[in-house]
Amino acid sequence: YRPILPTLSQLSSASQRYDSYLIMTGNPELKTEQRLLNQLRLNLRDKHWIGYLTFSYNRISNPIFNDVSYLGNSLFISEYMNYDRSNHINTEMRLGYNGILNHFNIRGTLGYNHYNTKSDHFSHHLNNVYWSLLGEIYFGKWELSAYYLKLRNN
């Protein structure tokens, strides 16, 4: 559990012209953001194999966001607001093998994220699946790495 208090600038009702297009203002009615972070992780490691399986659930009550509105005449206003909640669920599996021919390592990752944010005016959802490959070549103190990530949003 981790509470996050609003900053003084977030609580201020004073408006500030940020640039020629944006006015920023605080919100004296902001509530404390409350985070509940949970993670379960299983690890595997021996001489060559390395891996883990992770499940995490993060729930944020009263998350603080910037709400941006268009005022007209090419002018926007940004105000800090509390939304109802924000949830993030993640599961990830990584498996790797070290010391191939005494000069190569390889690792693969597969994961899934689900994001959900809700306020009085909207509800947003995002799901994505991702995978990655990491390859390393090493000789003495020299190492060359290559990383590839593929992300798919729903």
Side-chain angles (χ1 to χ4, degrees), residues 21-143:
Y21 301 104
L22 182 64
I23 297 172
M24 297 187 76
T25 184
N27 180 353
E29 303 297 320
L30 283 178
K31 300 174 189 164
T32 301
E33 185 174 290
Q34 299 177 30
R35 295 176 176 231
L36 182 61
L37 311 170
N38 297 288
Q39 186 177 64
L40 175 65
R41 184 173 183 143
L42 302 171
N43 290 309
L44 161 74
R45 182 181 290 260
D46 71 6
K47 184 176 179 182
H48 293 284
W49 290 98
I50 185 169
Y52 64 76
L53 178 64
T54 301
F55 177 78
S56 62
Y57 174 72
N58 301 322
R59 180 176 178 92
I60 305 172
S61 299
N62 303 319
I64 298 172
F65 286 95
N66 276 336
D67 189 54
V68 179
S69 302
Y70 182 64
L71 296 176
N73 296 328
S74 299
L75 193 57
F76 295 85
I77 186 163
S78 174
E79 181 180 13
Y80 292 101
M81 304 289 282
N82 285 112
Y83 292 171
D84 293 342
R85 62 178 162 73
S86 182
N87 297 319
H88 175 211
I89 297 171
N90 170 261
T91 185
E92 183 175 280
M93 180 180 71
R94 175 175 286 179
L95 190 59
Y97 193 81
N98 296 327
I100 302 168
L101 301 174
N102 293 322
H103 294 288
F104 303 99
N105 298 332
I106 190 165
R107 289 182 183 77
T109 303
L110 176 65
Y112 167 77
N113 285 306
H114 171 75
Y115 300 93
N116 178 0
T117 300
K118 185 176 183 326
S119 79
D120 293 336
H121 310 293
F122 68 84
S123 180
H124 292 296
H125 305 275
L126 173 68
N127 295 302
N128 66 33
V129 175
Y130 59 92
W131 62 269
S132 67
L133 288 174
L134 170 68
E136 300 171 323
I137 301 171
Y138 55 92
F139 294 96
K141 295 182 180 180
W142 294 91
E143 179 179 317

